[in-house]
Amino acid sequence: MGKTADLTAVQKAIIDTLKREGKIQKEISERIGCSQSAVSRHLSGKSVGRKKCGKKRCTTRRGDRTLRKIVEKDRFQTLGDLRKQWTESGVETSRATVHRHVLLNQKKRQKRLTWATEKQHWTVAQWSKVLFSDESKFCMSFGNQGARVWRKTGEKEMPKCLKSRVKYPQSVMVWGAMSAAMLR
């Protein structure tokens, strides 16, 4: 990071809050992990960041419909297989794009946007009370996790969405968490 264009909305809010608390630019930059000049440019308003960040949309609505049809043909395909078939249909894309298009529907996108908008102007004190956590299950025996099934809401019990697997494979559950208190 470092450039003002690369500062996230959360970092910018933290900079503003710390400045109001009377912190100097050097302390602020050390606290959030960016350059002092990035803090200075943000506070002076000289750099408003990039106008449009990220890659342009690489798919069309028609391409998205094609992907849905590919998924519905065989719901047990890997992301690699989905990408290969989607590419063969004329849409050149990455594995990550396939993953986003299959799993992140409009409702989930809206929920993420709402969450981010609500937290946009939070202070450092409010963020310091937040704990982000995640867990992952690691299967010890190869191939017993079962295949991923691509399905829509309400298709859980459909026979074409079911496949047999080992009932109790050996596994380990790992849990991790991160908060602002860990950054100090």
Side-chain angles (χ1 to χ4, degrees):
M1 287 223 176
K3 297 178 182 173
T4 305
D6 294 332
L7 293 175
T8 65
V10 172
Q11 286 176 316
K12 291 176 183 178
I14 292 171
I15 290 170
D16 294 336
T17 304
L18 291 175
K19 187 63 178 172
R20 281 192 298 266
E21 292 174 1
K23 304 288 184 194
I24 62 172
Q25 291 179 8
K26 185 175 181 180
E27 290 175 352
I28 296 171
S29 67
E30 289 171 355
R31 182 98 177 256
I32 67 167
C34 72
S35 68
Q36 187 175 343
S37 61
V39 173
S40 174
R41 280 193 301 273
H42 171 69
L43 292 173
S44 67
K46 289 182 181 174
S47 179
V48 293
R50 298 178 192 139
K51 290 182 180 161
K52 293 223 175 186
C53 293
K55 189 177 175 184
K56 290 183 180 178
R57 182 174 167 85
C58 62
T59 63
T60 61
R61 290 179 192 264
R62 184 178 185 176
D64 293 347
R65 283 193 306 270
T66 304
L67 178 61
R68 279 193 295 276
K69 288 177 185 175
I70 292 169
V71 168
E72 288 170 1
K73 280 183 193 173
D74 180 6
R75 295 170 186 269
F76 297 96
Q77 297 180 77
T78 63
L79 283 176
D81 293 340
L82 290 172
R83 178 181 176 221
K84 183 179 176 186
Q85 288 184 40
W86 206 19
T87 303
E88 288 170 356
S89 72
V91 181
E92 191 61 40
T93 185
S94 68
R95 185 178 185 273
T97 301
V98 175
H99 193 263
R100 266 193 321 275
H101 277 73
V102 171
L103 295 180
L104 196 58
N105 62 27
Q106 188 61 37
K107 187 176 179 181
K108 290 179 184 175
R109 285 188 184 114
Q110 188 58 48
K111 284 178 80 173
R112 286 184 180 188
L113 179 62
T114 303
W115 185 90
T117 305
E118 288 171 358
K119 276 60 171 183
Q120 185 175 5
H121 299 292
W122 271 25
T123 63
V124 174
Q126 288 173 304
W127 279 112
S128 67
K129 296 176 185 176
V130 175
L131 178 74
F132 291 97
S133 66
D134 196 16
E135 61 184 35
S136 289
K137 183 177 180 181
F138 296 92
C139 190
M140 306 309 261
S141 49
F142 178 75
N144 287 334
Q145 286 182 306
R148 178 174 288 281
V149 181
W150 308 106
R151 62 178 175 232
K152 296 177 190 169
T153 307
E155 294 182 340
K156 187 175 182 179
E157 303 299 328
M158 293 178 69
K160 64 182 177 183
C161 296
L162 301 175
K163 202 171 201 178
S164 63
R165 64 182 178 94
V166 175
K167 190 168 186 178
Y168 301 109
Q170 290 183 343
S171 61
V172 175
M173 183 68 75
V174 179
W175 180 80
M178 176 179 67
S179 73
M182 295 176 180
L183 299 175
R184 295 179 188 168

